[in-house]
Amino acid sequence: YWRAVDVQANLDADGLMHVIETQTFVFDGDWNGGERRFVVHPGQRLQLEGVDLMDGTRAVPLTRGSLDAVNHFELTNAAVLRWRSRLPSDPPFSQKALTYRIRYTLSGVLRGQDGHFRLNHDFAFPDRTGVIEQFTSRFVLDSSWTGMPSPHVQELRNLGPGQGAIVLGELTHRGSSQPRFVIALTSPIG
């Protein structure tokens, strides 16, 4: 299960969402590591920037590559991130809390036309087997966006498998140029 998940997200003027997600897992048994399934809708793009093991206030970057080694991670084509926390030959975990920070960028999270866009984004990851005991998110909009409070803060407890943390909003872009990383619709938002 997850003791805590904290999401810090920023929507820039071009419509890119920059995310830092900190997850504290509690491993019990012969778990080999963590997994994060991303939901990437048609027209969206996920750019994984890195995964860190948090050791107090120090971030230890994980290495992209074979999951045969501890502190290595891999992202599959199906947008499933996995990382190794223990070798199969190591003793099983016993209520071991480990904190990981995942850094990524999403494009195409906004859909719309003529400067008006819809946000419908789940900041949790409902495709999981465990409970998230405490979930927090802080979503900040660039000043070129209006239409919802910024920051938008969520605090949820005991999110079961299948439950998410959805943020909905109708946003207007007031920047000097059109946002480049949105999904442009040819018909009105409905």
Side-chain angles (χ1 to χ4, degrees), residues 72-92:
H72 280 208
F73 72 91
E74 197 56 65
L75 181 67
T76 68
N77 291 342
V80 177
L81 172 64
R82 291 190 177 107
W83 60 91
R84 181 167 292 277
S85 303
R86 72 176 266 288
L87 295 173
S89 58
D90 292 339

Side-chain angles (χ1 to χ4, degrees), residues 111 116-119 146-148 168-172 189-190:
R111 303 170 71 87
H116 299 281
F117 299 90
R118 175 171 288 156
L119 171 71
T146 62
M148 65 183 291
L168 301 171
E170 301 291 333
L171 301 178
T172 301
I189 299 174

Side-chain angles (χ1 to χ4, degrees), residues 17 32-33 39 41 58 85 89 99 109 112 116 124 127 131 142-143 146-147 164 171 179 183 186:
M17 185 183 295
N32 289 330
V39 177
H41 298 288
R58 186 172 67 101
S85 303
S89 58
T99 301
V109 295
H116 299 281
D127 188 9
V131 170
D142 180 86
S143 60
T146 62
L171 301 178
I183 298 172
T186 56

Side-chain angles (χ1 to χ4, degrees), residues 2 6 8 20 43 58 63-64 115-116 128 135 144 159 166 170 172:
W2 286 260
D6 177 69
Q8 302 292 318
I20 299 173
R58 186 172 67 101
T63 303
R64 190 173 203 147
H116 299 281
R128 65 181 185 281
F135 177 89
S144 61
L159 285 178
I166 296 172
E170 301 291 333
T172 301

Side-chain angles (χ1 to χ4, degrees), residues 7-21 47 49 102-107 109 121 123 138-140 142 181:
V7 177
Q8 302 292 318
N10 297 290
L11 184 69
D12 72 17
D14 270 333
L16 282 175
M17 185 183 295
H18 306 273
V19 182
I20 299 173
E21 186 176 287
Q47 177 66 46
E49 295 165 5
I102 304 167
R103 296 171 282 112
Y104 58 94
T105 302
L106 281 171
S107 64
V109 295
H121 186 74
F123 282 99
R138 186 174 191 271
F139 177 50
V140 177
D142 180 86
F181 299 103

